[in-house]
Amino acid sequence: MDYFLELVCSGLVRGSIYALIALGYTMVYGIIQLINFAHGEIYMIGAFVALIVSGVLTIYGFSGVSILVLAALIAAIYAAAYGYTLEKIAYRPLRTAPRLSPLISAIGASLFLQNYVLLAQTPDYLPFPELIPEFAFMDPIAQRTGLGSAELVILVTSAVTMIGLTVLIKYTRIGKAMRATQQDMTMARLVGVNVDRVISMTFVIGSVLAAIGGVLVGSSIGQINFYIGFMAGVKAFTAAVLGGIGNIPGAALGGLVLGLAESLAAGYVSSAYEDVFAFGVLVIILILRPEGLLGKAVKQKV
Amino acid sequence: MRTLKVLATAALVAALAVPAFAADTIKIGVAGPHTGDLAPYGIPTKEAALMVAEQVNAAGGILGKKVEVLPMDDQCKPEIATNAATKLVSEGVSMVIGHVCSGATKAAMGIYKEAGVIAISPSATNPPLTQSGDYPNFFRTIASDDMQGKLAADFVTGKLGAKKIAIIHDKGDYGKGFADFAKKFIEEGGKAKVVMYEGITPGAMDYSAVIQKVRREGADAVIFGGYHPEASKLVSQLKKKHVKAAFLGPDGIKGDGFLEIAGKKAEGVYATGPMDVTKYADNQKARAAYQKKYGKEPGTFFDQGYAAMEAALNAIKVAGGTDYAKVEKALRSSYVETAVGKIKFDNKGDAVGVGFSVYQVQNGKFVEQ
């Protein structure tokens, strides 16, 4: 039973990271029906910025938590700038083009960012400092369950972020504008919503979440390289589809389901089959509910 | 019109034929990962080959010809390796130093065999490469994985006295090969039990489920087959989750890459790796020259790459040319002083006179046990 709980915990930790990144996919898709394949790279860039910032801050004698907070903050700002620019350069000119064009542009942007970081930084794996401190009160828990402070911080941060996002979308002006744009872009524009600004904001918010994910994962597993965005992106995209792409609680749920499926499969079958189970769950759910767990079936207007 | 066509064809044929005739240099291909995440394993060999060529050329070349090194990147990927091999063959290389990863080497060897090109790998340790007899044109300056697996098994069950051993690998040719041999020799030895044998996905977000399994099985040693990024991820998660099993990896983790990423968590980790060769005069000379040129310590497989190049050039010299049969005979019959000691190659292509030892990370350095 203990073993089961441990697996569930590590599945939740992994799932909440997937969820955090999946939110970016789902928000963008919800509003402009675009799968932003470069989102995983934003996550990677977030991690890289945090690595550089924490290196610089360490030289200047900052310590522990202050580095974590500052690094995450600057990473978020950088990632937001990248997300904003990405939308402006790669997607906005193609907004009225056929659906396939921005999709290909997204794949191109993803490869571009990957190789850009490869050349600008290094192809090697880089050590990422442990920014999340070891809490003394988590130590006995870690001894028994393997759930350490890093994992706790990941769970709490992603929960808080997701609640914050829900509040933002439900109760603020920009959230209202986002929902309006999602419903009908033309009508929203007619009633005075600045659609371009809303779309930019969506990219910015999604990128911030991805960057936070990157910082958390980096400091919990202790290494990054230019390629980490790819797998994280694929998994998060899967999570978004699993939960019903375009649906925000769906992305969170999808992430958790995916994380749990992987963890339990690794624990009870073999970690060699982790991905087989993860994508198997996706296939089964899409067969039973093509719109995803919480998605709504959309009737195509003909 | 017809004349024009004939002329054009002739010109084309001539253009293609030119490189083949212009063999006033001895071309040696150097294939391996020169970019990508495994580049730290390939670049030292490239640098070594270039250094040897430079020295030989400075001394007048061999048989009156200059040595020309053609580096070719394969990123350790089999599909790129076949392209690299084809390219090298079409450029008319006489021999190839490489490839570096076993998977990539396997993919490329068929192409070299067909073209009659001999390849000397500094690091492809996969046993069937020599033992299957499929590749008579394959040689290596490193011992094979079965020797490494046996050493790992003996060390963990003997010196460490482990009773329950977890074996994890990265599902690749190299990592799984090593893990399989370790498993085989542990089971044959009968002194300990393999309680877990599992593959992990390189690049996965974390390995916590695997670590929990190691803990549940109560393993007192973990043998890992694979490369340093995954190894350091595993080591750091084992430490974090308070699993106190000893950790041993193959030569794929015995390098500065691992020490750098794993940092303090690397302390106490065991790795098998090529025998300490710094006692050989050739090696000291090579390392000193490298230090002088680049201002840093040479990386993983530098010695083996250096030795491969030395052996290749020596064989060409002994054979009096680049004729396939003569060079092959020279490699198998005449001893040569290299950076990994005095070696020649046996009938299968394994170097006689090289071997492995076990190292442990102590104070941020690999120390021979």
Side-chain angles (χ1 to χ4, degrees):
Chain A
M1 193 59 197
D2 261 6
Y3 184 59
F4 175 74
L5 274 180
E6 282 167 21
L7 290 179
V8 167
C9 286
S10 65
L12 287 178
V13 171
R14 194 189 271 212
S16 61
I17 296 281
Y18 289 159
L20 209 53
I21 310 170
L23 289 172
Y25 279 105
T26 240
M27 286 198 313
V28 167
Y29 185 86
I31 288 181
I32 53 173
Q33 272 83 52
L34 163 75
I35 295 162
N36 177 15
F37 274 116
H39 192 60
E41 271 57 53
I42 300 284
Y43 154 90
M44 178 267 296
I45 285 172
F48 261 94
V49 172
L51 175 69
I52 295 166
V53 169
S54 60
V56 172
L57 290 180
T58 316
I59 292 172
Y60 283 101
F62 285 76
S63 65
V65 183
S66 62
I67 295 186
L68 175 65
V69 172
L70 280 172
L73 195 71
I74 298 173
I77 292 170
Y78 250 88
Y82 267 94
Y84 179 84
T85 317
L86 184 70
E87 194 268 333
K88 206 135 210 187
I89 294 173
Y91 306 141
R92 187 169 295 184
L94 298 170
R95 198 170 294 156
T96 51
R99 286 267 288 276
L100 204 53
S101 311
L103 191 73
I104 292 168
S105 178
I107 294 171
S110 158
L111 288 174
F112 170 80
L113 288 174
Q114 242 176 49
N115 284 284
Y116 162 67
V117 175
L118 165 76
L119 292 172
Q121 297 295 323
T122 156
D124 296 346
Y125 273 85
L126 293 170
F128 198 99
E130 260 181 58
L131 299 175
I132 302 172
E134 299 276 343
F135 303 125
F137 70 89
M138 281 304 286
D139 218 39
I141 304 174
Q143 292 271 13
R144 282 204 36 233
T145 64
L147 196 69
S149 10
E151 283 77 13
L152 182 76
V153 170
I154 288 177
L155 279 175
V156 171
T157 314
S158 46
V160 168
T161 326
M162 279 184 241
I163 292 168
L165 185 66
T166 315
V167 170
L168 179 95
I169 284 174
K170 269 227 162 96
Y171 300 109
T172 62
R173 254 180 94 83
I174 181 77
K176 216 179 260 178
M178 280 163 95
R179 281 181 288 146
T181 313
Q182 174 164 17
Q183 219 164 44
D184 191 327
M185 204 186 283
T186 322
M187 271 318 277
R189 192 175 273 139
L190 283 177
V191 297
V193 174
N194 187 343
V195 171
D196 282 339
R197 204 178 134 250
V198 169
I199 293 172
S200 289
M201 274 311 285
T202 312
F203 271 86
V204 165
I205 295 169
S207 304
V208 167
L209 297 181
I212 292 173
V215 178
L216 291 179
V217 171
S219 55
S220 106
I221 66 169
Q223 55 174 287
I224 59 171
N225 87 335
F226 70 94
Y227 203 57
I228 55 168
F230 176 73
M231 210 48 199
V234 168
K235 288 285 167 66
F237 171 62
T238 310
V241 174
L242 199 61
I245 193 152
N247 183 308
I248 287 174
L253 182 68
L256 294 182
V257 168
L258 196 67
L260 283 174
E262 283 185 1
S263 181
L264 292 175
Y268 285 111
V269 188
S270 161
S271 62
Y273 292 97
E274 210 172 76
D275 288 352
V276 177
F277 276 83
F279 294 111
V281 168
L282 175 73
V283 171
I284 291 168
I285 287 182
L286 288 185
I287 289 172
L288 300 178
R289 268 186 76 87
E291 64 275 16
L293 286 171
L294 299 184
K296 269 188 243 124
V298 182
K299 284 207 188 84
Q300 285 282 343
K301 273 179 243 162
V302 189
Chain B
M1 201 57 200
R2 174 172 288 176
T3 353
L4 203 66
K5 229 182 219 167
V6 170
L7 268 180
T9 318
L12 207 64
V13 170
L16 285 174
V18 165
F21 289 124
D24 49 352
T25 58
I26 292 176
K27 291 185 180 174
I28 308 278
V30 177
H34 302 155
T35 63
D37 55 340
L38 298 173
Y41 297 115
I43 289 172
T45 296
K46 184 174 83 173
E47 289 168 344
L50 287 167
M51 276 176 68
V52 176
E54 212 170 273
Q55 281 166 18
V56 168
N57 288 340
I62 38 173
L63 308 171
K65 288 178 183 172
K66 294 269 187 234
V67 177
E68 189 186 348
V69 172
L70 304 174
M72 197 64 67
D73 184 17
D74 71 6
Q75 294 180 18
C76 267
K77 291 182 179 143
E79 67 275 17
I80 302 181
T82 51
N83 286 347
T86 313
K87 184 95 194 295
L88 284 174
V89 167
S90 72
E91 302 238 342
V93 294
S94 331
M95 276 170 106
V96 172
I97 305 300
H99 296 212
V100 167
C101 295
S102 293
T105 308
K106 231 182 220 171
M109 281 321 292
I111 294 167
Y112 295 138
K113 191 169 144 187
E114 225 156 81
V117 170
I118 287 175
I120 307 180
S121 171
S123 57
T125 46
N126 185 263
L129 280 169
T130 51
Q131 290 167 10
S132 68
D134 288 345
Y135 309 112
N137 58 333
F138 177 78
F139 297 84
R140 59 180 152 211
T141 51
I142 195 164
S144 64
D145 274 339
D146 47 348
M147 284 173 73
Q148 199 171 180
K150 175 134 181 46
L151 180 66
D154 289 348
F155 183 80
V156 169
T157 56
K159 204 161 178 199
L160 297 183
K163 292 283 167 240
K164 293 174 169 180
I165 297 164
I167 297 179
I168 302 172
H169 61 82
D170 68 354
K171 298 193 268 189
D173 273 340
Y174 165 72
K176 186 161 183 298
F178 172 75
D180 283 342
F181 280 109
K183 180 164 179 269
K184 185 178 137 212
F185 289 117
I186 290 169
E187 281 165 354
E188 279 175 11
K191 277 195 272 183
K193 233 177 90 189
V194 176
V195 289
M196 189 186 137
Y197 177 80
E198 211 160 300
I200 54 170
T201 312
M205 203 166 270
D206 62 18
Y207 298 129
S208 48
V210 182
I211 306 284
Q212 261 140 13
K213 222 178 207 175
V214 171
R215 193 166 56 181
R216 185 175 73 150
E217 301 291 353
D220 36 26
V222 177
I223 292 181
F224 170 72
Y227 297 104
H228 70 274
E230 280 72 44
S232 57
K233 221 189 267 188
L234 281 170
V235 167
S236 92
Q237 291 201 313
L238 280 167
K239 281 254 162 83
K240 251 194 193 153
K241 296 196 185 269
H242 302 273
V243 182
K244 290 202 175 59
F247 189 93
L248 183 141
D251 55 342
I253 76 168
K254 197 208 151 261
D256 291 342
F258 176 71
L259 296 177
E260 242 167 61
I261 307 179
K264 270 187 239 133
K265 300 213 165 76
E267 210 57 31
V269 166
Y270 296 97
T272 54
M275 255 171 358
D276 179 26
V277 289
T278 48
K279 56 189 176 219
Y280 300 118
D282 240 36
N283 189 281
Q284 284 163 5
K285 224 168 61 196
R287 286 184 167 260
Y290 186 92
Q291 274 277 11
K292 205 172 144 205
K293 192 165 174 196
Y294 295 94
K296 56 176 183 180
E297 280 292 310
T300 319
F301 302 134
F302 173 82
D303 302 328
Q304 288 72 22
Y306 204 93
M309 188 72 176
E310 283 178 312
L313 296 184
N314 178 66
I316 292 175
K317 204 156 102 193
V318 170
T322 52
D323 179 62
Y324 178 86
K326 282 185 189 154
V327 172
E328 193 194 336
K329 196 169 155 247
L331 281 170
R332 294 194 208 277
S333 58
S334 55
Y335 270 101
V336 52
E337 285 287 349
T338 70
V340 296
K342 197 171 171 189
I343 57 165
K344 69 166 189 164
F345 299 90
D346 65 11
N347 281 335
K348 292 176 189 148
D350 278 317
V352 180
V354 300
F356 285 105
S357 349
V358 177
Y359 295 79
Q360 187 182 27
V361 181
Q362 289 170 4
N363 301 319
K365 271 210 175 77
F366 280 105
V367 179
E368 195 169 6
Q369 290 294 292

